[in-house]
Amino acid sequence: MPSWIGAVILPLSGLLWCLPAGADVKARSCGEVRQAYGAKGFSLVDIPYQEIAGEHLRICPQEYTCCTTEMEDKLSQQSKLEFENLVEETSHFVRTTFVSRHKKFDEFFRELLENAEKSLNDMFVRTYGMLYMQNSEVFQDLFTELKRYYTGGNVNLEEMLNDFWARLLERMFQLINPQYHFNEDYLECVSKYTDQLKPFGDVPRKLKIQVTRAFIAARTFVQGLTVGREVANRVSKVSPTPGCIRALMKMLYCPYCRGLPAVRPCNNYCLNVMKGCLANQADLDTEWNLFIDAMLLVAERLEGPFNIESVMDPIDVKISEAIMNMQENSMQVSAKVFQGCGQPKPAPALRSARSVPENFNTRFRPYNPEERPTTAAGTSLDRLVTDIKEKLKLSKKVWSALPYTICKDERVTAGTSNEEECWNGHSKARYLPEIMNDGLTNQINNPEVDVDITRPDTFIRQQIMALRVMTNKLKNAYNGNDVNFQDTSDESSGSGSGSGCMDDVCPTEFEFVTTEAPAVDPDRREEDSSAARLSHSLLSLSLACLVLALQRLCR
């Protein structure tokens, strides 16, 4: 071999040893990276055709690279946007569950009230005619207040129902005693006797229990759907921290800078990044699960003893039964009132003592089942609640599961079956660090994300408090209590919005919904009336002193 050839080879071999480790004799092309970068919608002006030295990189490994400073900045923003979209996408199910079910339940409830009011109006117009129409505002006000309560109005259901029956007694008392004139003071005295006289039988007490428990449960349940919807919507819109953005860039796009755009992150690597970025969201999970459990409990009540549909559907029939009871006992009721409130003054145009319009004494004709609207909003409460329960169960642990759901996405990671050919943050190789546990405090040693565990996210803490407040309201509703109006009446009365009368204590209360009142034999009714008159005579002795005072007040 000529000596000059050896002289050339030796310097060339020395030059090869001086090249950076891992570098090819010929600089690697950035063609694949340019193609992938352009597919993201970025201009190719910033990207080199071949690898360049990487001392300018702030996030990715400072080795030979296809990334400029401008590219690293743009890809950092891209990783942030993709992360935000991934979280919103992944939480789509839980958000749509609460949005759609809230809309359906609200639509059902409003239509149920409208149907009940229309049914009562139709029945009473047919039964009582002009007498009802002249006094229809009493019933309209009842439904107006029920709707106002449902929509969040400051309504005490117990007081409102007591007022309804008192007003109804005043109107009916005047109709069954048209020969007398009653001023406002006298009528106020009459209404004070509502509980003592029980002119409408046991209907008001039972209906009060049913209505308050069912409405409290229904209103609280729909409020729970609202809170769940709002929390899910808010939490799904994340604002990643600078430390999170750096970790996302390193995981998602540093492979581009290393000339490996087709290599995806290792699954466990992704989990650590997501657990660090979503640490605060994971802390929401405990309160969220308690909230879902409370929603499921109230849902069971709505399917059973607090079924709003079974309360509202026959409410017209029950009120009519109460009116019939008042008519049948009108003589005894009037006698007691006259004893307690004093003898009223005759009306200016004196009429017969029993000149009540004939149609007022006509018994109502109950609607046949096929005449009633069978459902509201195209469904029934049972079907609606069953569907909601299934969706609620699926939404448990949704926030702590976010990292796992995102990292299962084949668009994001290489998957669990490809652990050797994935991006581990530095190169294409297996990811070795252990996976962090869920929650903020467990991220203290997260190898991928710099997390400040001493500063919990204020926004997430606000959502935790909102869930906690709602969970307490749901627990109250489950027990039949209204969180806004705790019962101050005698607990033994078994009535009122705060009675909390449980099913094992009051097992027969809701039989009232479907049980028809037994027919009363006329002879038996006369015997009962005689006994009642004797009992009332004895009662009048104990009221003698009270009568004198009331006479002065009411005349």
Side-chain angles (χ1 to χ4, degrees), residues 176-384:
I176 63 177
N177 293 286
Q179 70 275 27
Y180 296 112
H181 169 71
F182 303 101
N183 58 25
E184 290 185 7
D185 289 340
Y186 197 97
L187 291 175
E188 184 178 348
C189 179
V190 172
S191 66
K192 290 177 181 177
Y193 276 77
T194 306
D195 290 337
Q196 181 181 330
L197 298 176
K198 299 191 183 305
F200 300 110
D202 208 27
V203 172
R205 185 188 70 83
K206 289 184 174 181
L207 201 58
K208 187 193 300 183
I209 294 171
Q210 293 174 311
V211 168
T212 52
R213 296 198 303 187
F215 267 77
I216 289 166
R219 181 172 87 160
T220 309
F221 191 73
V222 81
Q223 286 176 347
L225 291 173
T226 303
V227 169
R229 178 191 67 191
E230 294 304 314
V231 169
N233 283 336
R234 290 168 182 164
V235 176
S236 65
K237 299 185 185 303
V238 293
S239 297
T241 64
C244 173
I245 295 173
R246 286 180 61 86
L248 291 167
M249 169 61 195
K250 187 179 177 183
M251 180 182 83
L252 295 174
Y253 286 113
C254 281
Y256 279 51
C257 297
R258 293 289 291 132
L260 303 169
V263 178
R264 294 175 184 165
C266 302
N267 186 74
N268 290 354
Y269 175 31
C270 173
L271 284 174
N272 273 344
V273 172
M274 292 301 161
K275 282 175 180 265
C277 288
L278 297 169
N280 284 283
Q281 282 76 5
D283 283 347
L284 184 76
D285 225 39
T286 299
E287 203 62 52
W288 175 266
N289 293 337
L290 291 173
F291 160 72
I292 295 296
D293 287 339
M295 286 287 290
L296 291 170
L297 286 174
V298 175
E300 290 176 6
R301 288 297 204 197
L302 287 171
E303 287 179 312
F306 295 4
N307 188 312
I308 190 73
E309 192 171 26
S310 65
V311 171
M312 293 309 298
D313 191 47
I315 195 170
D316 48 4
V317 176
K318 299 309 173 184
I319 293 176
S320 271
E321 287 177 358
I323 291 173
M324 292 303 110
N325 191 79
M326 169 75 177
Q327 287 179 248
E328 292 169 358
N329 296 286
S330 59
M331 291 182 63
Q332 296 94 314
V333 170
S334 297
K336 292 180 188 177
V337 171
F338 294 160
Q339 285 181 349
C341 298
Q343 190 69 22
K345 296 178 180 180
L350 188 64
R351 293 175 286 177
S352 168
R354 283 283 162 249
S355 60
V356 180
E358 182 180 351
N359 64 338
F360 183 70
N361 288 312
T362 303
R363 279 195 172 277
F364 67 90
R365 181 183 68 83
Y367 286 174
N368 292 323
E370 58 269 19
E371 292 182 86
R372 290 181 174 278
T374 55
T375 61
T379 186
S380 69
L381 185 66
D382 288 341
R383 287 199 298 271
L384 192 59

